[in-house]
Amino acid sequence: MKKLGILLSGRGSNFEAIARNVQAGKIPAEIAIVMSNKAGALGLARAKEMGLATRFIPSQGKEREAFDREVVAVLREFQVDLVCLAGFMRILSPYFIREFPRRVLNIHPALLPSFPGEEAQRQALEYGVKFTGCTVHLVDEGVDTGPIVCQAVVPVLDDDTPETLAVRILNEEHRIYSDGICLLLEDGVRIEGRRVLPKL
Ligand code: GRF
């Protein structure tokens, strides 16, 4: 059975959606470890309640790579095959990426390459786009720049606020993150340049 490692910093609703799909047998893997760099992360508490292995590794005041080395050591300890960032508010060091080449996924609440970084829903509203959405992508050394695995489109409504828009995007996030994980786990993709395509 393939092993997932989840990294989060907060609420953890994407983690919970993944956990539900693992539980339901829709993702052919187990969650080996849930880690957070924030002690009070709700997602970490939920993982404990579910009986999953959890670790809190503080990031504050640490060099980026020093922190990443601690995280990678734990991922190795739990023999993680695929790392899923789920609201993990940190940029990964080149060291981390090298340790898990093409084995780190992230979910972003916009149609990349539009609106990378923080407050993507607010950025989309303020720009005035009529459609936004979410993106599952492989993580590279940039901020939300890695090859795109899957996306979902969400219309922007005239009376949307960043909060109402975020809720509808989140519903799609919860659906497509698991799809992206399955694709990567099944080894069903090849990567040509930036394009993630089905294996021939
Ligand atoms: C989500 O909007 C995700 O796209 C972004 O951070 C948020 C995390 O939410 N990367 P949650 O912690 O999964 O509820």
Side-chain angles (χ1 to χ4, degrees):
M1 188 65 111
K2 291 274 173 68
K3 293 178 194 293
L4 304 179
I6 311 275
L7 269 50
L8 54 80
S9 302
R11 180 178 56 184
S13 73
N14 276 288
F15 149 65
E16 284 199 54
I18 294 165
R20 272 195 302 275
N21 284 332
V22 165
Q23 195 69 37
K26 293 182 187 162
I27 298 176
E30 59 185 289
I31 296 177
I33 179 76
V34 179
M35 266 190 271
S36 175
N37 63 324
K38 299 283 178 203
L42 184 62
L44 203 60
R46 293 288 298 121
K48 278 185 200 150
E49 284 166 22
M50 290 177 202
L52 295 170
T54 61
R55 289 283 170 88
F56 158 54
I57 302 183
S59 55
Q60 213 177 7
K62 285 179 192 158
E63 293 280 343
R64 187 174 305 286
E65 188 172 317
F67 170 74
D68 282 5
R69 282 186 183 273
E70 289 183 51
V71 173
V72 166
V74 175
L75 294 170
R76 293 276 178 236
E77 179 189 334
F78 285 89
Q79 300 181 323
V80 164
D81 299 291
L82 184 65
V83 181
C84 303
L85 309 186
F88 187 59
M89 302 304 284
R90 295 198 44 97
I91 298 163
L92 303 188
S93 61
Y95 162 78
F96 195 131
I97 307 294
R98 275 199 308 274
E99 287 294 308
F100 287 91
R102 294 174 171 178
R103 294 324 257 173
V104 185
L105 279 177
N106 185 40
I107 180 98
H108 182 74
L111 292 174
L112 291 172
S114 292
F115 315 125
E118 288 184 23
E119 295 204 78
Q121 303 93 337
R122 179 183 298 280
Q123 290 184 53
L125 259 189
E126 288 178 357
Y127 195 93
V129 292
K130 301 299 183 190
F131 293 91
T132 182
C134 49
T135 304
V136 177
H137 66 94
L138 291 166
V139 176
D140 64 10
E141 287 157 27
V143 177
D144 304 320
T145 50
I148 291 167
V149 178
C150 50
Q151 295 185 301
V153 175
V154 175
V156 179
L157 306 180
D158 292 344
D159 57 357
D160 260 334
T161 63
E163 292 74 27
T164 59
L165 181 56
V167 169
R168 294 202 314 286
I169 294 175
L170 202 56
N171 280 329
E172 292 301 288
E173 293 183 38
H174 294 167
R175 187 174 62 78
I176 71 166
Y177 207 170
S178 293
D179 293 347
I181 291 169
C182 287
L183 269 174
L184 265 278
L185 282 175
E186 288 157 4
D187 237 356
V189 296
R190 65 196 155 97
I191 300 166
E192 283 182 14
R194 292 193 45 87
R195 301 188 73 198
V196 179
L197 299 164
K199 251 194 183 149
L200 292 172

